[in-house]
């Protein structure tokens, strides 16, 4: 019986090892064969203007003897520059090709080369700089195109195998393999950052090429590298392409717009608002006459759901609103002064990022010294109250929370501040160890700060 038991265990272990081995491909050759013909090489030509003698003519010694006459004579010249990227065929019948916006941005000429060496002039159908995606079109004539199927990046898991195909450093149709290292990476590239990180090598020239799974489906669009990092590559999830693909075909991507500045909640801010969780998006500012303002949304409101779907962070709010169309009505679930409330908002169209305004703060027994705003400062900032920070103790909790000279405090613990006395009176009434919550305007825009009073 003991021998039978041992034999059964050995058989079971062998079976499990075969199952695990089945998940690890012995070769990626078949995947490459299936997908290679759908990947294209993209070369672009740009015209730039520059003065090749600018540094020489701007030299102080040269200018001392000859002045500006030679510099004016040798004015800016036009030069052609070329660059390479990648893309993949997404619609063989229409001749549509997906790539990165930065690959073709500003290009005078775009040439697409297939794996069989056929070349075509391409035209831009639509671009979306906010997600760095672009759609091109070629007329293949009698040449048969191979389109790549789109997978589901939401169902893809960290640890899954992927293959990157493209033209790194101009080396045509190179292949690298690896796994998905992380999802939802934010690199500071834009409001819709949501990159997939992979250890499959991605190099210059790979941009715009596909990241495919073991079924040959596109799950990402290779887009970003960190030169100082090894084994770090980033791709746009293919579901982001799916969200805007129909709009790219129309030539323009439009997104819903609330007209708010949002920030995350930390534990101190959550405590100051009487919350037990940091989930949600805190409204730091509302753009005047934009949809949120017209619907009655106020700074200090905390959005916890949109159309009943939970919001965990400001980035989730931005992404969800961005998927909706201008003119759509949405219902925001907010918390205001500790009470839950529902507000209907008709979305506008997303526009250019608003310019951040400038801030300020104060003095007294507090570690923060403030002074009144001048009428010109109020006019410039578009506010009718607030005090400017002119000094702050660098060892204070306020400083550690991010308060700086030049910041403008517009309220403290939900009370508006019109003059320095308002700030000091409220600040001094707060007991040591209790939470101080400020709404400020800084060069980074409106935001909230919270800290324990020293």
């Amino acid at each position: 019986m003991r021998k039978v038991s041992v034999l059964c265990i050995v058989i079971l272990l062998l079976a499990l090892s075969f199952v695990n081995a089945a998940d690890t491909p012995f070769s990626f050759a078949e995947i490459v064969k299936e997908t290679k013909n759908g990947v294209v090489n993209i070369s672009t030509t740009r015209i730039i203007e520059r003065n090749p003698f600018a540094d020489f003519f701007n030299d102080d010694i040269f200018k001392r003897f000859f002045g500006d006459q030679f510099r004016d004579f040798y004015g800016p010249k036009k030069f052609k520059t070329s660059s390479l990227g990648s893309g993949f065929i997404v619609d063989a019948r229409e001749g549509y090709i997906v790539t990165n916006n930065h690959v073709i941005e500003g290009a005078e000429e775009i040439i697409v080369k297939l794996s069989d060496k056929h070349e075509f002039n391409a035209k831009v159908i639509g671009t979306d700089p906010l997600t760095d995606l672009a759609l091109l079109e070629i007329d293949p004539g009698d040449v048969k195109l191979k389109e790549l199927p789109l997978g589901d990046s939401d169902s893809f898991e960290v640890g899954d195998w992927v293959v990157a195909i493209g033209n790194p450093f101009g080396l045509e149709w190179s292949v690298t393999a690896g796994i998905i290292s992380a999802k939802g990476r934010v690199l500071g590239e834009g409001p819709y950052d949501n990159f997939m990180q992979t250890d499959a090598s991605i190099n210059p020239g790979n941009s715009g090429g596909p990241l495919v799974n073991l079924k040959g489906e596109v799950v990402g669009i290779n887009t970003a590298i960190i030169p100082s990092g090894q084994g770090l590559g980033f791709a746009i999830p293919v579901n982001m392409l799916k969200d805007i693909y129909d709009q790219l075909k129309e030539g323009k991507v439009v997104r819903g717009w609330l007209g708010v500045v949002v920030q995350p909640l930390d534990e101190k801010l959550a405590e100051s608002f009487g919350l037990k969780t940091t989930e949600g998006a805190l409204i730091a500012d509302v753009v005047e006459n934009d949809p949120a303002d017209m619907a009655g949304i106020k700074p200090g409101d905390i959005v916890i759901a949109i159309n009943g779907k939970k919001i965990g962070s400001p980035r989730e709010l931005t992404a969800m609103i961005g998927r909706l169309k201008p003119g759509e009505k949405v219902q925001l679930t907010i918390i205001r002064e500790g009470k839950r409330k529902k507000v209907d908002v008709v979305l506008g169209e997303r526009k250019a990022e608003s310019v951040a305004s400038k801030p300020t703060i104060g003095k007294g027994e507090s570690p923060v010294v403030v002074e009144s705003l001048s009428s010109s400062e109020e006019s410039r900032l578009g506010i009718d109250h607030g005090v400017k920070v002119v000094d702050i103790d660098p060892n204070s909790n306020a400083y550690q929370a991010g308060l700086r000279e030049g910041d403008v405090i517009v309220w403290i613990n939900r009370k508006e501040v019109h003059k320095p006395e308002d700030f000091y009176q409220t600040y001094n009434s707060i007991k040591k160890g209790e939470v101080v919550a400020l709404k400020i305007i800084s060069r980074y825009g409106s935001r909230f700060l919270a800290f324990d009073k020293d």
Side-chain angles (χ1 to χ4, degrees):
M1 288 297 293
R2 183 178 296 176
K3 290 181 179 179
V4 173
S5 298
V6 170
L7 182 61
C8 289
I9 292 172
V10 170
I11 293 173
L12 179 61
L13 291 173
L14 287 173
L16 288 172
S17 67
F18 282 123
V19 169
N20 291 332
D23 291 334
T24 305
F26 290 103
S27 171
F28 296 96
E30 287 303 316
I31 301 164
V32 175
K33 289 177 184 177
E34 291 176 13
T35 57
K36 178 182 174 182
N37 291 340
V39 183
V40 303
N41 176 299
I42 298 176
S43 59
T44 63
T45 301
R46 294 176 174 84
I47 306 297
I48 62 171
E49 277 193 8
R50 63 182 177 88
N51 187 345
F53 304 101
D55 292 339
F56 178 70
F57 290 134
N58 283 326
D59 182 80
D60 289 338
I61 296 176
F62 185 91
K63 291 170 70 176
R64 187 182 305 165
F65 287 97
F66 299 102
D68 292 334
Q69 56 181 328
F70 286 97
R71 185 190 63 186
D72 295 337
F73 179 75
Y74 291 100
K77 305 295 182 183
K78 289 186 177 181
F79 296 86
K80 277 189 176 183
T81 64
S82 59
S83 60
L84 294 174
S86 306
F88 61 94
I89 300 164
V90 71
D91 188 325
R93 185 171 61 87
E94 298 293 339
Y96 287 157
I97 293 167
V98 169
T99 187
N100 286 146
N101 179 66
H102 76 260
V103 169
I104 52 86
E105 189 172 25
E108 300 283 330
E109 183 182 44
I110 304 172
I111 302 295
V112 167
K113 183 191 291 186
L114 306 182
S115 60
D116 62 7
K117 307 303 180 182
H118 280 98
E119 292 188 6
F120 306 94
N121 286 308
K123 66 178 181 179
V124 178
I125 297 299
T127 62
D128 182 37
L130 290 178
T131 56
D132 194 22
L133 291 172
L135 186 66
L136 309 179
E137 181 184 34
I138 61 172
D139 181 2
D142 296 330
V143 177
K144 187 175 180 180
L145 300 180
K146 163 72 175 179
E147 70 180 51
L148 300 185
L150 304 183
D152 180 5
S153 52
D154 287 343
S155 65
F156 219 55
E157 298 291 340
V158 172
D160 283 347
W161 284 98
V162 287
V163 176
I165 308 176
N167 306 279
F169 302 107
L171 303 172
E172 298 179 357
W173 292 282
S174 293
V175 179
T176 57
I179 62 169
I180 294 298
S181 307
K183 296 174 70 174
R185 289 297 197 205
V186 176
L187 304 180
E189 298 293 318
Y192 301 107
D193 276 16
N194 181 28
F195 292 104
M196 303 167 72
Q197 180 184 327
T198 176
D199 64 354
S201 295
I202 295 176
N203 296 293
N206 270 121
S207 289
L211 193 69
V212 301
N213 61 17
L214 298 186
K215 297 177 182 178
E217 300 169 333
V218 178
V219 293
I221 300 93
N222 303 324
T223 187
I225 55 176
I226 297 178
S228 60
Q230 296 185 4
L232 291 176
F234 298 91
I236 301 165
V238 75
N239 286 9
M240 291 183 71
L241 169 64
K242 291 179 180 179
D243 286 342
I244 63 170
Y245 181 68
D246 288 339
Q247 294 191 69
L248 283 173
K249 290 195 293 185
E250 297 298 320
K252 180 183 178 183
V253 176
V254 294
R255 292 182 170 86
W257 173 254
L258 271 178
V260 296
V261 177
V262 290
Q263 71 175 87
L265 288 161
D266 58 27
E267 291 183 0
K268 289 300 177 186
L269 278 173
E271 184 181 346
S272 73
F273 284 100
L275 303 177
K276 296 181 180 179
T277 176
T278 58
E279 291 187 344
L282 174 59
I283 305 295
D285 206 358
V286 178
V287 180
E288 188 176 0
N289 296 324
D290 269 11
D293 182 43
M294 303 298 287
I297 298 295
K298 300 177 181 179
D301 289 345
I302 300 162
V303 182
I304 58 172
I306 298 176
N307 290 339
K309 187 173 181 180
K310 186 178 177 182
I311 293 295
S313 68
R315 189 160 290 278
E316 288 184 19
L317 181 145
T318 301
M320 192 175 296
I321 293 297
R323 293 191 194 104
L324 302 174
K325 301 288 181 59
E328 284 192 50
K329 180 186 285 188
V330 298
Q331 185 178 77
L332 305 183
T333 303
I334 66 171
I335 294 177
R336 178 181 296 170
E337 297 181 354
K339 296 180 180 178
R340 187 172 295 211
K341 183 177 181 180
K342 296 190 176 185
V343 180
D344 291 331
V345 184
V346 178
L347 299 179
E349 182 177 339
R350 185 182 181 93
K351 46 199 172 191
E353 301 294 325
S354 55
V355 179
S357 34
K358 243 192 167 180
T360 311
I361 308 187
K363 165 179 178 174
E365 294 181 358
S366 77
V368 180
V369 179
V370 297
E371 68 179 15
S372 298
L373 292 172
S374 66
S375 57
S376 62
E377 286 175 319
E378 289 183 345
S379 177
R380 177 170 55 84
L381 295 172
I383 58 178
D384 60 3
H385 64 280
V387 292
K388 182 166 63 178
V389 177
V390 295
D391 194 17
I392 183 170
D393 183 351
N395 297 314
S396 66
N397 289 340
Y399 187 90
Q400 296 301 317
L403 192 61
R404 296 293 184 270
E405 289 184 28
D407 288 346
V408 174
I409 300 174
V410 293
W411 65 240
I412 175 172
N413 285 18
R414 302 192 186 94
K415 295 180 181 178
E416 287 188 354
V417 177
H418 291 264
K419 52 186 183 295
E421 292 78 6
D422 295 340
F423 172 78
Y424 296 128
Q425 183 178 0
T426 302
Y427 185 87
N428 292 333
S429 69
I430 300 170
K431 295 179 181 178
K432 184 177 180 179
E434 291 183 344
V435 176
V436 179
L438 305 176
K439 183 188 178 188
I440 70 169
I441 303 173
S442 73
R443 68 178 182 273
Y444 304 112
S446 297
R447 59 195 176 108
F448 290 89
L449 297 176
F451 53 89
D452 291 335
K453 184 178 178 181
D454 298 282

